[in-house]
Amino acid sequence: MTTAAYPVTGLTCEHCARAVTEELSALDGVDTVEVELVANGTSTVRVLSQAPLTDSAVAAALDEAGDYQLVPRD
């Protein structure tokens, strides 16, 4: 099991958080998704999964959920 935190922009409300949670939860190996919502700011999305997820897989799921963007990490 691995936990990763992803900075995400574009979330404005609980509806957005639910959409992101639903799409990320559908990825293979994902057990739990938690969204620390910062409306109109950078939210933190924590994902507990069987194996690390690629940033491209997370970005694709965010795009599918709506107009949400993964903030590049250093």
Side-chain angles (χ1 to χ4, degrees):
M1 292 292 231
T2 184
T3 301
Y6 300 93
V8 178
T9 60
L11 287 82
T12 59
C13 63
E14 288 298 324
H15 173 79
C16 298
R18 283 192 299 274
V20 166
T21 299
E22 184 176 305
E23 287 299 328
L24 287 172
S25 294
L27 296 176
D28 285 341
V30 171
D31 284 349
T32 305
V33 177
E34 295 178 1
V35 177
E36 185 178 313
L37 178 63
V38 178
N40 298 311
T42 301
S43 300
T44 300
V45 179
R46 288 185 175 75
V47 178
L48 175 64
S49 58
Q50 298 295 321
L53 302 175
T54 64
D55 283 355
S56 62
V58 173
L62 293 172
D63 186 56
E64 187 67 29
D67 191 21
Y68 313 115
Q69 296 81 41
L70 179 63
V71 176
R73 298 176 284 171
D74 295 329

